[in-house]
Amino acid sequence: MSLGRLVIVGATGAVGREALGILEARGHPAAGIAAVASARSSGAKLGYAGGEIEVAALSERAFEGADVALFCADAETARRWAPVAVRAGAVVVDNSSAFRMDPDVPLVIPEVNGGLVAEAAGPRIIANPNCSTIILLAALNPLRAVFGVERIVVATYQAVSGAGAAAIDELHGQARAVLGGGEARPEVFREPCAFNVFSHDSAVDEETGLNVEEQKLIAETRKIWGDEQVEVTPTCVRVPVVRAHTEAITVTLARSATEEEVRRAIGGGAGLAVIDDRPGNRFPTPLKAAGGDEVLVGRIRRDPGRAAGPAGASRGWCLLVCGDQLRKGAALNAVQIADLAVGSRRARLAAAG
Ligand SMILES: NC(=O)c1ccc[n+]([C@@H]2O[C@H](COP(=O)([O-])OP(=O)(O)OC[C@H]3O[C@@H](n4cnc5c(N)ncnc54)[C@H](OP(=O)(O)O)[C@@H]3O)[C@@H](O)[C@H]2O)c1
């Protein structure tokens, strides 16, 4: 579907470039895209469909005549400029955390709660959830739909690109330095990221001990599912991987399921692909997920910490999941939301005659 005239705010960043790549693959014409970033990038050229798109500094003019604005910048930029884009008549899909917990802003994963996009008409802001939340809930969506979910324990193994384009350069640079006998000098992160693993770099709440990434996983899961009771126990960790997050998930279902029932539900899940080769010990990896649209699910097994019932039925199940957080965790999910928004706007216009 054509998204009309589109503005990408933060087009030079990791998510913005991924969004451009997705639009290019869909054949969206270069003339229908305005690439916008900070004044630092004004005049920079981004390769697109065999040609180039010139980057402009963010200004009110960028949104004139825009149908959709994909915000791929920081929360402060989104807070200031998303309302400007809406006033200009655009549907805003924002990748930052700025509006996610705003009760008036839908927080959307199309496979889970895409219906919210069609409910409200006109220019508006729709928030893209945090990347770890999208990957987690995409994987659990079919289990929740069939059996219900009461509790989630999740450990994340998050790629450095989750912290933006500069973090990718930092991992490459540190890896080269260390392999050359030098030292890893952290700048983006507080800890060296090459050949290291560390607790997520977002701020830690001194009272609860939860970092911001963990707080987002809890709050966003409850908002997206509309379930304040669901128990979420996250531990978020950064690993020396360029792109695609991994998540080790233990889920407690609301009712018992057999392994066959669990596999059948996950196998039919939208946007999921199962890689679960026990004899070959082959399961999802970030390298297999990188660059792909699907969330990979494997190591599907009964939680050994819970007693099983007849036929091995249990409420406790374990999964290993990998998803490209720059695609399904950000740019792809945002484009899918834009598709829903533009589709429902066209349907409304057609119905109005
Ligand atoms: N990376 C991920 O996996 C991921 C996943 C989900 C959500 N997100 C969210 O998506 C957003 C973008 O993340 P990212 O990883 O792509 O970051 P990034 O690589 O650091 O890119 C940031 C982009 O924002 C632009 N920008 C910064 N300040 C600006 C300003 N004042 N006005 C206009 N543009 C400005 C930058 O332009 P310049 O190049 O000119 O500085 C750049 O294009 C963030 O809110 C992030 O939390 C990221």
Side-chain angles (χ1 to χ4, degrees):
M1 177 193 309
S2 166
L3 291 175
R5 186 174 180 276
L6 209 132
V7 183
I8 302 185
V9 179
T12 53
V15 175
R17 283 172 190 263
E18 202 61 37
L20 275 173
I22 291 168
L23 295 165
E24 182 178 3
R26 289 163 52 125
H28 193 94
I33 297 177
V36 172
S38 78
R40 291 180 293 275
S41 302
S42 180
K45 305 268 196 313
L46 299 173
Y48 189 88
E52 284 179 334
I53 295 182
E54 186 169 327
V55 179
L58 181 50
S59 72
E60 291 212 12
R61 210 163 352 120
F63 302 109
E64 281 170 13
D67 297 297
V68 173
L70 295 182
F71 272 68
C72 309
D74 56 285
E76 200 185 319
T77 301
R79 262 185 225 106
R80 171 156 178 223
W81 289 96
V84 176
V86 169
R87 278 198 296 278
V91 171
V92 168
V93 185
D94 180 35
N95 278 289
S96 83
S97 58
F99 303 101
R100 288 182 189 149
M101 297 314 295
D102 182 329
D104 295 328
V105 172
L107 183 62
V108 173
I109 306 171
E111 297 85 343
V112 180
N113 61 347
L116 292 182
V117 177
E119 276 173 23
R124 58 192 314 230
I125 300 169
I126 301 165
N128 218 34
N130 168 269
C131 46
S132 304
T133 311
I134 294 179
I135 293 164
L136 175 71
L137 300 194
L140 292 182
N141 189 42
L143 292 180
R144 177 170 184 261
V146 181
F147 311 108
V149 168
E150 283 186 358
R151 176 167 163 77
I152 303 163
V153 179
V154 56
T156 68
Y157 306 72
Q158 297 187 217
V160 296
S161 55
I168 303 174
D169 294 342
E170 178 144 310
L171 176 56
H172 286 148
Q174 287 185 1
R176 274 194 297 272
V178 172
L179 290 173
E183 263 183 49
R185 296 187 198 286
E187 285 176 16
V188 175
F189 300 114
R190 288 184 189 202
E191 305 282 352
C193 58
F195 309 105
N196 198 16
V197 164
F198 52 90
S199 182
H200 194 276
D201 35 290
S202 52
V204 180
D205 180 80
E206 289 187 21
E207 199 179 315
T208 62
L210 292 171
N211 60 47
V212 168
E213 188 81 354
E214 292 160 354
Q215 294 165 34
K216 288 176 183 170
L217 265 167
I218 296 168
E220 293 182 21
T221 295
R222 291 181 172 159
K223 177 168 175 176
I224 292 164
W225 281 0
D227 178 359
E228 282 303 312
Q229 306 306 318
V230 65
E231 295 168 7
V232 185
T233 306
T235 303
C236 292
V237 169
R238 194 74 79 180
V239 295
V241 163
V242 173
R243 63 189 281 169
H245 291 350
T246 300
E247 301 188 6
I249 304 168
T250 300
V251 60
T252 304
L253 304 175
R255 70 173 177 84
S256 277
T258 64
E259 185 168 325
E260 193 194 336
E261 288 173 322
V262 167
R263 285 183 183 279
R264 201 180 316 130
I266 293 172
L272 305 183
V274 175
I275 302 181
D276 205 24
D277 172 11
R278 286 182 183 173
N281 203 347
R282 290 175 56 80
F283 301 107
T285 66
L287 282 182
K288 288 175 197 154
D293 289 352
E294 282 148 339
V295 172
L296 309 181
V297 185
R299 298 222 59 208
I300 301 168
R301 63 204 191 279
R302 187 164 52 74
D303 177 357
R306 296 180 72 96
S314 175
R315 291 172 58 214
W317 292 90
C318 303
L319 313 172
L320 186 69
V321 168
C322 292
D324 187 329
Q325 96 292 343
L326 288 172
R327 290 183 76 84
K328 186 56 188 168
L332 175 65
N333 199 70
V335 170
Q336 290 170 331
I337 291 172
D339 275 335
L340 291 177
V342 169
S344 65
R345 183 189 269 182
R346 287 203 184 122
R348 236 187 314 271
L349 287 174

